[in-house]
Amino acid sequence: GENVEQHPSTLSVQEGDSAVIKCTYSDSASNYFPWYKQELGKRPQLIIDIRSNVGEKKDQRIAVTLNKTAKHFSLHITETQPEDSAVYFCAAKRSGGGADGLTFGKGTHLIIQP
Amino acid sequence: GAGVSQSPRYKVAKRGQDVALRCDPISGHVSLFWYQQALGQGPEFLTYFQNEAQLDKSGLPSDRFFAERPEGSVSTLKIQRTQQEDSAVYLCASSPGASGYTGELFFGEGSRLTVL
């Protein structure tokens, strides 16, 4: 089955600086890579996703890059703000084949220092 | 309702008790997932329903775990003879697409189970 590794487990950055979170996956058939943000005690919420037919996607201060050859993808947050503090999870999935569940990484606790 | 609703939000059980956790997905959503999230970890897949059919239960950790969605809407996750290692947040998620769909999962707030 799929295995997703996520690094770092904790990331502390100064407000206004950039943050980068990296994930690797094992199943070369995976073709969908979402990122979820989970605030303390809250539900995970999708912030951005990327499919295997593109290498990069951007949405305002958030971007995701995908390297299918190396089987890794990254989340980039620029101009970080206090409300970006949360746990971020990467995930991977392949369409079809009965593998309908997302496989999540263990999460990165992002701390924005004022 | 506007989102995925789960109940109870918090459940404390004595070891050996049976528990039932309920999920009310977004109306019309075909797919329903259950995940288990241990403290400080990412959600781990338990089982998947497409309408009333349970298409994947490969993530259920033991035969003490049972899930159903008899009418293709509300789902119940039942845990029999609870053990301390069952303590976790149980997340339900739904999506509008069928099996193979790649798109947003809409999560509930979760049910936090503590087994004493």
Side-chain angles (χ1 to χ4, degrees):
Chain A
E2 176 66 275
N3 182 49
V4 176
E5 301 281 344
Q6 182 171 349
H7 300 280
S9 57
T10 304
L11 178 60
S12 181
V13 301
Q14 290 292 126
E15 182 179 348
D17 287 350
S18 295
V20 180
I21 302 170
K22 299 181 179 181
C23 289
T24 60
Y25 61 98
S26 62
D27 187 351
S28 56
S30 287
N31 58 3
Y32 176 65
F33 308 93
W35 288 86
Y36 282 80
K37 176 183 180 182
Q38 187 175 30
E39 297 178 12
L40 189 62
K42 301 292 187 183
R43 72 190 75 200
Q45 292 190 299
L46 179 73
I47 55 169
I48 195 167
D49 57 12
I50 191 168
R51 289 176 172 78
S52 59
N53 57 345
V54 298
E56 184 174 358
K57 183 176 178 181
K58 191 172 181 181
D59 182 4
Q60 299 183 348
R61 296 185 299 108
I62 294 172
V64 58
T65 59
L66 170 65
N67 183 328
K68 283 217 72 177
T69 303
K71 289 192 280 190
H72 67 70
F73 56 113
S74 300
L75 177 71
H76 305 251
I77 306 174
T78 58
E79 301 171 17
T80 52
Q81 300 171 4
E83 55 265 34
D84 295 330
S85 293
V87 179
Y88 291 80
F89 294 98
C90 62
K93 173 180 161 55
R94 59 184 170 93
S95 59
D100 287 284
L102 286 171
T103 301
F104 285 87
K106 292 189 183 300
T108 296
H109 185 192
L110 178 62
I111 301 165
I112 308 301
Q113 304 277 9
Chain B
V4 178
S5 178
Q6 291 187 245
S7 62
R9 289 293 314 281
Y10 303 93
K11 175 70 179 178
V12 178
K14 291 183 180 178
R15 188 164 57 94
Q17 282 185 331
D18 297 349
V19 299
L21 308 176
R22 176 189 167 105
C23 173
D24 205 332
I26 293 173
S27 178
H29 276 196
V30 169
S31 291
L32 185 145
F33 301 82
W34 283 99
Y35 285 85
Q36 180 189 60
Q37 186 174 26
L39 189 64
Q41 301 294 314
E44 292 208 2
F45 171 78
L46 294 177
T47 188
Y48 164 67
F49 289 87
Q50 178 174 290
N51 296 311
E52 69 279 3
Q54 188 175 22
L55 297 189
D56 188 348
K57 53 182 180 179
S58 62
L60 296 176
S62 76
D63 58 8
R64 296 186 297 103
F65 286 71
F66 171 78
E68 60 183 4
R69 192 186 185 197
E71 298 179 357
S73 55
V74 170
S75 176
T76 304
L77 176 67
K78 298 179 180 178
I79 308 172
Q80 297 177 322
R81 305 181 303 281
T82 53
Q83 301 178 6
Q84 284 190 320
E85 60 262 32
D86 299 336
S87 295
V89 175
Y90 290 85
L91 292 166
C92 175
S94 69
S95 73
S99 176
Y101 169 79
T102 53
E104 183 171 3
L105 292 189
F106 295 85
F107 282 88
E109 297 274 9
S111 291
R112 180 179 296 277
L113 172 64
T114 302
V115 181
L116 303 177

